[in-house]
Amino acid sequence: QKVKEESVEFLIPSYACQRRTSLDNHNTNFTDALSHLAENAELNNEDGRAVAFRRAAAVLKALPVKVTSITQLRGLPCLGEHSQRVIKDVIENGVSSEVESTIHSERFKALKLLTGIFGVGAKTADRWFKEGIQNLTQLANSGHDLNRAQQAGLEHYYDLNQPVTKAEAEAIGDIVKKAVLDVLPGSEIILTGGFRRGKITGHDVDFLITHPDEGKEVGLVSKVVSWLTARGLLLYQKNTRNSYLESEDGPAQPPSNMDRFERCFSIFKLEKKEIPNRNWRAVRVDLVVSPISQFAFAVLGWTGSKLFERELRRWAGQVKSMSLSSHALYDNKQCKYLRATSEEEIFTHLGLEFIPPSERNA
Ligand code: DCP
Ligand code: MG
């Protein structure tokens, strides 16, 4: 029996944090195209445009079937005129001409290559591109003074652009656990980021650490870094102290993507016997330490995806008059912080159905 295309309509709520997005995406042809345009907008520092493309892609990721006709998109949220044009182009021609010309442009290729260097953001890459720097050799010959992060990024460029596997993440997890428990017994360590969402590869490995006795965790990052350094396990590291202070009468910090936990951005030297001559590879690792009272917020904030996080904060602000960060949830109407000891409680405070990590892949 023939099913009329017109009858296929989906009920998709408009905030990504209101819906389940697993890793099996039936619409990669469209979401890849939209992601390229989002990436290009990010490289051009056009944040609003980037988010619009990311939201459109996230809606298509949440659909239970492959879209084959533009009529199926009727009633879906977050699909602006531009995104619909791209989708239509892909349906009719297999590819979007705008996406093709973007990703093959000299500018996009160069900016992507340059921002692929750890420590190089869109603004720096753009400045270099305008000076005629389009590849790593030109950068090395340019005489630019690179900071410590960028030097390490250039030195380990190849390794850091190879996906990190789940097995590698687990091997690093074992080392981190050993280090943390050695310097502060009783600590808890969890793997966050993409791996917690069930991804099988990542661009880095993210760990969140806490201790059940509030205050014991202070200064933990530098002790762990000393432990790892003494064993020759770090190729690069940069620590920052906790700079978060909670005040009585409102959020101490304006809502921001960047949290203020004690942390270490590092590059691990991971032993890999199978790599000839060298026996190791470089892997980006983030270590973040949270006081136990903020741990649920930290776990939620570090699990991602980035869009899911962004949508949670937008929902909190726009729908609930609350401010959510990786540290706390503040109710602007009641003028008080809402405590939580689990992710489930935070979703409840926000009036949202609990979405497990594996379905936060928006
Ligand atoms: N995060 C955030 N804001 C930041 C840093 C991180 O919201 N300034 C959150 C969202 C991310 C998670 O932390 O999902 C980890 O950041 P990553 O950049 O490592 O992202 P993923 O782990 O999701 O992706 P990948 O698999 O590429 O590492
Ligand atoms: Mg990650």
Side-chain angles (χ1 to χ4, degrees):
Q1 193 174 339
K2 194 162 178 275
V3 180
K4 266 204 301 193
E5 261 168 7
E6 280 74 14
S7 68
V8 185
E9 274 198 28
F10 309 106
L11 263 180
I12 301 286
S14 66
Y15 289 80
C17 55
Q18 294 175 286
R19 46 185 204 244
R20 294 170 181 269
T21 313
S22 71
L23 281 168
D24 64 302
N25 172 356
H26 304 282
N27 291 288
T28 49
N29 51 343
F30 307 116
T31 59
D32 287 351
L34 293 165
S35 300
H36 283 311
L37 296 182
E39 198 177 7
N40 185 54
E42 279 153 9
L43 291 170
N44 292 334
N45 278 301
E46 300 172 318
D47 217 35
R49 271 167 80 85
V51 175
F53 287 129
R54 296 254 176 241
R55 284 203 194 114
V59 165
L60 295 172
K61 284 182 196 172
L63 295 181
V65 298
K66 185 174 166 65
V67 169
T68 52
S69 152
I70 202 87
T71 59
Q72 289 171 285
L73 303 178
R74 263 208 318 249
L76 290 180
C78 308
L79 298 182
E81 209 183 302
H82 196 155
S83 294
Q84 290 198 37
R85 196 161 70 233
V86 173
I87 295 165
K88 190 161 172 278
D89 216 6
V90 174
I91 290 175
E92 288 170 3
N93 308 310
V95 290
S96 146
S97 51
E98 184 187 0
V99 171
E100 290 305 297
S101 64
T102 299
I103 64 178
H104 294 116
S105 72
E106 292 305 315
R107 179 180 160 81
F108 182 84
K109 285 191 287 188
L111 292 185
K112 212 168 141 54
L113 186 111
L114 294 172
T115 54
I117 304 169
F118 170 62
V120 178
K123 289 196 179 119
T124 304
D126 184 54
R127 207 173 58 236
W128 289 345
F129 178 73
K130 286 185 176 135
E131 293 171 17
I133 298 169
Q134 301 206 23
N135 59 47
L136 302 186
T137 312
Q138 289 169 344
L139 175 62
N141 295 334
S142 70
H144 275 294
D145 276 328
L146 303 182
N147 65 32
R148 214 164 53 83
Q150 294 163 347
Q151 285 171 29
L154 200 52
E155 187 174 345
H156 303 293
Y157 186 84
Y158 175 82
D159 276 9
L160 298 185
N161 283 286
Q162 298 301 307
V164 182
T165 65
K166 185 83 204 266
E168 289 169 334
E170 278 163 2
I172 290 168
D174 290 342
I175 298 167
V176 169
K177 217 163 281 171
K178 201 149 178 275
V180 171
L181 294 179
D182 214 25
V183 299
L184 185 63
S187 299
E188 284 171 40
I189 302 111
I190 70 159
L191 183 57
T192 59
F195 289 112
R196 185 162 184 258
R197 301 196 307 275
K199 281 180 62 182
I200 54 165
T201 62
H203 95 283
D204 68 357
V205 194
D206 308 289
F207 294 99
L208 192 58
I209 305 162
T210 191
H211 191 281
D213 301 332
E214 182 106 356
K216 281 258 177 72
E217 81 291 345
V218 175
L220 182 57
V221 163
S222 55
K223 288 180 204 153
V224 170
V225 166
S226 300
W227 193 101
L228 294 165
T229 305
R231 285 156 187 81
L233 295 168
L234 296 183
L235 297 161
Y236 167 88
Q237 120 276 325
K238 184 180 167 141
N239 298 352
T240 49
R241 300 187 291 115
N242 185 331
S243 59
Y244 178 79
L245 285 171
E246 187 178 285
S247 72
E248 287 300 304
D249 54 0
Q253 311 299 340
S256 139
N257 293 358
M258 206 58 189
D259 63 60
R260 289 161 178 273
F261 290 117
E262 186 177 306
R263 72 161 70 174
C264 176
F265 296 110
S266 74
I267 302 176
F268 257 63
K269 184 173 179 177
L270 176 65
E271 189 180 20
K272 298 268 303 177
K273 293 221 170 64
E274 58 274 37
I275 301 182
N277 305 327
R278 202 161 60 131
N279 307 318
W280 60 270
R281 73 160 283 192
V283 180
R284 274 273 300 114
V285 176
D286 282 347
L287 304 175
V288 179
V289 171
S290 156
I292 189 78
S293 61
Q294 299 171 17
F295 193 59
F297 297 98
V299 172
L300 180 59
W302 273 84
T303 298
S305 67
K306 284 199 190 78
L307 184 74
F308 191 90
E309 300 294 338
R310 193 169 183 137
E311 294 281 275
L312 271 176
R313 293 191 293 265
R314 191 167 70 96
W315 167 272
Q318 294 184 344
V319 180
K320 308 300 283 187
S321 291
M322 293 178 184
S323 310
L324 175 68
S325 73
S326 296
H327 298 276
L329 178 62
Y330 187 79
D331 186 326
N332 297 310
K333 286 200 197 119
Q334 297 185 63
C335 299
K336 67 169 192 184
Y337 284 97
L338 304 177
R339 308 282 153 188
T341 56
S342 67
E343 290 187 314
E344 282 85 347
E345 274 180 80
I346 304 172
F347 280 87
T348 303
H349 284 319
L350 290 169
L352 290 169
E353 184 195 338
F354 179 69
I355 310 286
S358 61
E359 308 202 79
R360 295 181 202 159
N361 287 292

